[in-house]
Amino acid sequence: MSLLNGAAAKLSQYNRDAVLSASPARLLTMLYDRLVLDLERAAGALGEQNWSTAWENLRHADQIVAELASSLRLDVWDGADGLLQLYTYVAELIVSGNIDRDAGKVREAIELIEPLRQTWHEAAAQLPAAGAKAAGGYGASGYAGASSALGERDLGVA
């Protein structure tokens, strides 16, 4: 195994371990961080007419939005319906931004997601580290697909 492949394997294992050991609140913030990163990369790729990179990042962003939506517990939180509608709209922006090759739609998705990302980070920072069992209207045992939604790719977190 070459040195580069060994380093990539270690990074992949580190990322996998970070996801598997994260609290639900941390998983939520990781998903939002990765979603914004994917959308920013896609918008840049669309601007450069790099369609394959844009497609890859938009496909991954769509998977994250699907994971966020499927993990939402509508029966636990009154605001969950509104958030689900927002996720649905963001997913539509992602798909149509991909089909139309429209960076403006992707930037609109970023503008909608970024304030939520910041808010979830603030909320997670206020949770006691040991007692962070749940994150808002999301299931405490949820995010079974978070590892796959985050993927084997670089999570974009230090």
Side-chain angles (χ1 to χ4, degrees):
M1 180 184 312
S2 75
L3 184 60
L4 196 53
N5 285 341
K10 287 181 182 182
L11 178 60
S12 179
Q13 182 63 44
Y14 172 80
N15 287 336
R16 190 172 21 261
D17 291 347
V19 169
L20 293 175
S21 65
S23 68
R26 178 68 183 126
L27 276 175
L28 182 62
T29 58
M30 290 170 78
L31 285 168
Y32 269 97
D33 288 346
R34 185 55 199 241
L35 176 57
V36 169
L37 179 65
D38 284 340
L39 291 171
E40 288 173 345
R41 287 177 175 172
L46 286 169
E48 297 169 0
Q49 298 184 356
N50 185 340
W51 312 129
S52 63
T53 298
W55 178 85
E56 181 180 328
N57 283 282
L58 289 171
R59 182 185 58 78
H60 194 250
D62 191 49
Q63 290 173 336
I64 292 172
V65 172
E67 178 63 29
L68 289 168
S70 70
S71 298
L72 200 54
R73 301 234 350 242
L74 301 173
D75 59 329
V76 174
W77 178 44
D78 292 338
D81 284 326
L83 189 54
L84 182 58
Q85 289 175 5
L86 179 69
Y87 288 153
T88 301
Y89 182 66
V90 167
E92 290 171 6
L93 286 171
I94 291 169
V95 169
S96 97
N98 202 4
I99 291 170
D100 300 336
R101 297 180 173 175
D102 186 346
K105 291 178 182 177
V106 177
R107 282 191 288 278
E108 182 181 350
I110 294 168
E111 290 172 11
L112 292 169
I113 292 297
E114 182 58 34
L116 286 171
R117 186 190 74 78
Q118 291 174 2
T119 301
W120 281 117
H121 271 280
E122 291 169 12
Q126 294 178 12
L127 290 174
K133 297 280 184 198
Y138 292 90
S141 64
Y143 304 120
S147 179
S148 62
L150 288 167
E152 294 296 320
R153 302 161 49 184
D154 171 25
L155 296 176
V157 293

